[in-house]
Every structure is written in structure tokens, then in C-alpha cells.
Amino acid sequence: LPDNHDIISLKLYQLTVERTPEEEKRDREVYLPVVDNLKLPGMEAPLEPMSGLALFLIVFFSLVAIVFAIVIGVIIYNKWQEQSRKHFY
């Protein structure tokens, strides 16, 4: 069961403190977040190059798939031509 909560009011206070530059530097180091192992989207480590065998297999199977698609296309085109010729007899 979800609960809905409404914010009725806020009380904000600003603390003004006079600080020396050394204290500012020390406090800035404390309050600034630092993430050393942050991985942003799209900034992955570069991929290592493909081996010769992997590249050959990808090209080979791509060519086989293209030839297969052309053969299927020719068969379908011939069947369609036969159907269109038989239609007029």
C-alpha cells in the first residue's frame, strides 16, 4: 500500500561563518565528493581487436547468408512468374 506525504513547510537556515583560506581549502576537500571508479555510460573500456579467425568466420557466414537470401528470392520470383503466366490461360 503506498503512502502519500505532503510537504507542508520547510525551514531553511543559512550559517555564515568567517573562515580563513586554509579552512576553506580543508573544508572543500572534505565536502567535495570524489569517485575514483566511476563508469559513465558510453565510456566503456576499448574492446580488444578481433582475431583473424573470428573475422573470417563473421565474413564467411555473412556471405553464406547473403547467397542464401538471393537464392530464396530467385525461387520466390520464379514461382510468382509462373503464377502470373498461368493466370491468363
Side-chain angles (χ1 to χ4, degrees), residues 40-52:
L40 297 175
M43 302 220 18
E44 291 86 23
L47 299 174
E48 51 187 66
M50 277 194 262
S51 68

Side-chain angles (χ1 to χ4, degrees), residues 57-76:
L57 290 176
I58 289 173
V59 170
F60 176 75
F61 285 116
S62 298
L63 290 175
V64 168
I66 290 170
V67 169
F68 182 72
I70 290 172
V71 168
I72 295 296
V74 168
I75 291 171
I76 291 173

Side-chain angles (χ1 to χ4, degrees), residues 4-89:
N4 292 330
H5 300 282
D6 295 332
I7 298 175
I8 306 286
S9 67
L10 293 173
K11 287 186 177 181
L12 302 174
Y13 299 95
Q14 180 178 1
L15 298 176
T16 307
V17 179
E18 296 294 326
R19 296 183 179 170
T20 64
E22 293 84 21
E23 290 175 332
E24 286 290 329
K25 183 179 177 188
R26 181 180 44 114
D27 290 341
R28 187 175 300 136
E29 290 173 0
V30 171
Y31 291 118
L32 287 180
V34 177
V35 180
D36 294 332
N37 60 354
L38 177 67
K39 292 182 181 176
L40 297 175
M43 302 220 18
E44 291 86 23
L47 299 174
E48 51 187 66
M50 277 194 262
S51 68
L53 178 63
L55 186 61
F56 171 75
L57 290 176
I58 289 173
V59 170
F60 176 75
F61 285 116
S62 298
L63 290 175
V64 168
I66 290 170
V67 169
F68 182 72
I70 290 172
V71 168
I72 295 296
V74 168
I75 291 171
I76 291 173
Y77 179 72
N78 287 337
K79 293 286 185 182
W80 178 72
Q81 287 287 25
E82 284 181 23
Q83 292 290 6
S84 66
R85 272 191 255 128
K86 290 180 183 178
H87 182 65
F88 292 113
Y89 289 123

